[in-house]
Amino acid sequence: MKRRAGLFLDRDGTIIEDCGHLRNGWQVAFIPDTVETLKRLQDEFVLFIITNQSGVADGALTLGDVNGVNNHIISHLADAGVVIQDVYVCPHRREDECLCIKPKPHFLYQAANRWNIDLSLSIVVGDHPHDVELANNVGGCGIYVLTGHGQKHLQELPPESLVVPRLKEAADWILALARYNNKIENLKEELRRAGEAIRQGQLVVFPTETVYGLGANACDAQAIARVFQVKGRPRFDPLIVHIADIAQTESLVEEFPAAARRLAENFWPGPLTLILPKNNRIPEIVTAGLPGVALRMPDNQLAMALIRESGVPIAAPSANPFGYISPTTADHVREQLGEKVSVILDGGPCRVGVESTIVSFVDEQPRILRPGGIPMEEIERIIGPVGQIEQEQRRPMSPGQLPRHYSPQTPLILADHDEQVTISGRVGLLSFGPSPRFNSYVSIEVLSQSCDLNEAASNLYSALRRLDAKNLDVIVAHLVPNEGLGITINNRLRKASGGRTAEKL
Ligand code: TXA
Ligand code: MG
C-alpha cells in the first residue's frame, strides 16, 4: 500500500492561541481560519497534533487536563468535518531527557509505523524552532508560523527556513511542496526560474486563491500581446494586473479614491479587483484602451512570491482558452495550454475557486462589474451601496459580462433544485447539495454535501470540467441559493448556459 504524507501540527500557538497552561476545553481559542485551512489540507495529508506539555512534569497541569483539552479540540474539529488521526503529547521537561520531546523524532516514527506515513513527504508546522528541526530530523519539511511564540524565537531558526504569518499561509506552501517532492529548494528554484521568465517577457502560469492566471510583465506590451494570442482572447478585453503591495498600486494609478483604499485595506490580499484611473506606466494593450486599470493583490503565497521575485506587476487573465471554464488546478492548465508557456507553477487546487469581484472606481459612483469571491454584501458593508452594471449591456466592458462565458463544450441548462427536467439522451447533473435519490442522470456532481456555498464555489469549475469530459448530451445545473457566494455561482452558471433552456436546446 502506498505510504501517505502526514501533516504534524503543533498545538499551542499554531492551531490554537497560546494562553499558557490550558486545563479546560472552554479555555481553547482557535486561531482564525484553522478549520477552513485544515479542511483544505486533509484531502492530501493525514493530520496529526504533536505537542510538548512540560507543565505536566512541572506539576502545573495533569495529564487528564491535557487530554481533556485535546479531546475538546478534536471534537470541535470533527464537528466541522476535520479528522485528526492521532495526537502525540510529551509530558516531560527538557532536562528529563525523555525520548519523545520535540525535536526528537520518536512520535513521528510511531505515526509512520502505525498509520503508514511516509515521513520524507511529511510536513511539521509550528511556532517554535524545534518544530522545524523535528521535520529536518526525519527528512521532511518544516514550516515556521509567526503566531504564538513565533516572533520570540525567530532568531534561533535554522537558516533557509520557511517562515509564514499563520497556518493559513502555510497551507499554500504545503500544497505546493506536495508537488515539488517536498523540497523547499526545488520550489524556490522554480520560483526563481519563473521570476526570470517574467522579466524576459515570457509567460508563466501561477496559482491564485481564485483561479490559475496566465501571467506576463504588465509593463511589457510585447509579452502582453503573447498572452492575448495564447489565450485566443480578443484585444478589446482588458487584463487584471496583479501587485504585491499597496505601494506598487500607487505607482500605477493617477488616483486612489478613499473608498477604494478602504476596500483594499479590508480585502487585500484577496479576491477583489479594483479598477482605478491609470497612469502611463501601464501600456494601452493591458487595459484595451480603457481609462482604468484593474488591480488586485492575490491571496496566495506562490503568486505573491512570484510578483516579488519578478520585480514587476504581472498582468494575468485566467489561464484557459477564451470562453472556456477557468482552471482551478495546474492539471486543468496543462491539458489546455501546456506547451505554450514557459513555466507552470503548481500550487494545488485553488482555495476560493471563482474569480475575483470587480469594483470600478472610474466613474463617480463605484460599480460592481463582476460578482466574485468577495460577496457584494461585504463590499457594501465597507463602502455603502454600490451600483451594479446591467447584465446585458450592449458593449461589454468586462467579458465576465459577455452573455456566454465560463462555458463547458457540452450544452448546459439551468434548473431549480426541485424542478423535474425531462430531456432525452445522456444527461448529467450539477447538483448543489446531496443528489436526488431517484433519478435518470448518467453522471452527477455534487458541489457540497453539506450545502456550503464556499465549498460549492471551490468545487464549481472542477465539477463542470469532469461533467464536460463525460460525453454527455446535456448538463443540467441546479441554481444555488442566491446569497453570498451563491450570487457569484449563479452568475457563472448563467454564463455557462449562454441563455439555453430545455426548450431551446
Ligand atoms: O480572480 C481573478 O480575477 C482571476 C485571477 C487570475 O486573478 N483573473 C481573471 O481574469 O478572472 P480574466 O481576464 O479572466 O477576467 C478579467 C475581467 C474581465 O472581465 C475584464 O474585462 C475585466 O476583468 N477588466 C480587466 N481590466 C479592466 C478594465 N481596465 N476595465 C474594465 N474591466 C476590466
Ligand atoms: Mg507552539
Side-chain angles (χ1 to χ4, degrees), residues 11-12 16 20-28 49-74 87-92 107:
R11 195 190 83 176
D12 303 21
I16 64 171
H21 298 306
L22 299 182
R23 288 187 194 82
N24 281 297
W26 55 261
Q27 296 174 299
V28 169
I49 292 173
I50 177 162
T51 175
N52 287 352
Q53 296 290 332
S54 58
V56 176
D58 289 339
L61 288 171
T62 68
L63 207 46
D65 295 335
V66 175
N67 290 338
V69 168
N70 290 342
N71 289 338
H72 173 87
I73 292 172
I74 291 173
V87 181
Y88 298 101
V89 180
C90 166
H92 308 111
F107 284 139

Side-chain angles (χ1 to χ4, degrees), residues 107-324:
F107 284 139
L108 266 55
Y109 290 133
Q110 225 175 317
N113 290 332
R114 170 128 196 245
W115 302 106
N116 200 31
I117 301 300
D118 182 340
L119 293 180
S120 72
L121 298 180
S122 294
I123 290 186
V124 183
V125 184
D127 66 332
H128 195 281
H130 285 149
D131 294 301
V132 174
E133 280 173 51
L134 174 63
N136 294 346
N137 286 342
V138 296
C141 185
I143 302 182
Y144 190 81
V145 288
L146 292 172
T147 41
H149 286 141
Q151 290 291 353
K152 201 160 90 192
H153 299 283
L154 199 51
Q155 303 312 323
E156 302 152 38
L157 265 187
E160 296 288 302
S161 299
L162 191 50
V163 180
V164 297
R166 298 161 299 175
L167 181 64
K168 176 173 177 275
E169 286 80 15
D172 290 339
W173 292 106
I174 292 169
L175 290 173
L177 280 161
R179 286 145 180 96
Y180 292 87
N181 254 327
N182 208 25
K183 295 277 177 286
I184 191 67
E185 316 83 82
N186 294 2
L187 185 49
K188 286 191 174 165
E189 178 53 34
E190 186 76 340
L191 279 164
R192 269 192 293 275
R193 212 161 71 79
E196 178 64 22
I198 293 280
R199 280 193 299 276
Q200 302 286 329
Q202 294 162 9
L203 309 191
V204 171
V205 170
F206 62 98
T208 79
E209 79 282 30
T210 59
V211 301
Y212 276 74
L214 171 63
N217 179 353
C219 301
D220 178 344
Q222 265 184 329
I224 299 301
R226 286 261 300 143
V227 172
F228 281 97
Q229 187 202 343
V230 165
K231 191 174 156 89
R233 177 163 175 148
R235 289 275 184 104
F236 64 73
D237 190 355
L239 308 182
I240 295 174
V241 176
H242 298 71
I243 43 84
D245 53 55
I246 298 271
Q248 212 171 14
T249 302
E250 281 160 352
S251 76
L252 301 174
V253 303
E254 278 292 312
E255 199 193 325
F256 199 163
R261 204 178 275 272
R262 279 208 300 284
L263 289 183
E265 282 161 6
N266 275 277
F267 300 116
W268 278 358
L272 170 72
T273 295
L274 299 174
I275 301 188
L276 304 175
K278 78 188 258 303
N279 65 21
N280 56 15
R281 274 195 65 206
I282 294 290
E284 297 272 294
I285 185 173
V286 172
T287 61
L290 292 171
V293 57
L295 294 163
R296 117 172 171 88
M297 190 188 293
D299 186 11
N300 178 288
Q301 293 285 301
L302 264 62
M304 292 288 259
L306 174 66
I307 301 168
R308 293 204 182 97
E309 181 71 40
S310 69
V312 297
I314 298 182
S318 52
N320 52 286
F322 183 68
Y324 194 64

Side-chain angles (χ1 to χ4, degrees), residues 262-381:
R262 279 208 300 284
L263 289 183
E265 282 161 6
N266 275 277
F267 300 116
W268 278 358
L272 170 72
T273 295
L274 299 174
I275 301 188
L276 304 175
K278 78 188 258 303
N279 65 21
N280 56 15
R281 274 195 65 206
I282 294 290
E284 297 272 294
I285 185 173
V286 172
T287 61
L290 292 171
V293 57
L295 294 163
R296 117 172 171 88
M297 190 188 293
D299 186 11
N300 178 288
Q301 293 285 301
L302 264 62
M304 292 288 259
L306 174 66
I307 301 168
R308 293 204 182 97
E309 181 71 40
S310 69
V312 297
I314 298 182
S318 52
N320 52 286
F322 183 68
Y324 194 64
I325 307 163
S326 300
T328 53
T329 68
D331 279 337
H332 295 162
V333 181
R334 288 189 196 104
E335 284 158 21
Q336 294 185 308
L337 302 179
E339 308 295 277
K340 299 180 179 159
V341 295
S342 298
V343 182
I344 298 178
L345 283 172
D346 191 344
C350 298
R351 174 171 63 83
V352 176
V354 291
E355 299 82 349
S356 58
T357 302
I358 304 180
V359 188
S360 172
F361 286 89
V362 172
D363 307 319
E364 293 284 288
Q365 240 273 50
R367 284 184 308 170
I368 295 198
L369 299 192
R370 177 178 76 181
I374 305 277
M376 172 147 137
E377 302 90 299
E378 289 197 33
I379 305 273
E380 295 197 324
R381 193 168 49 80

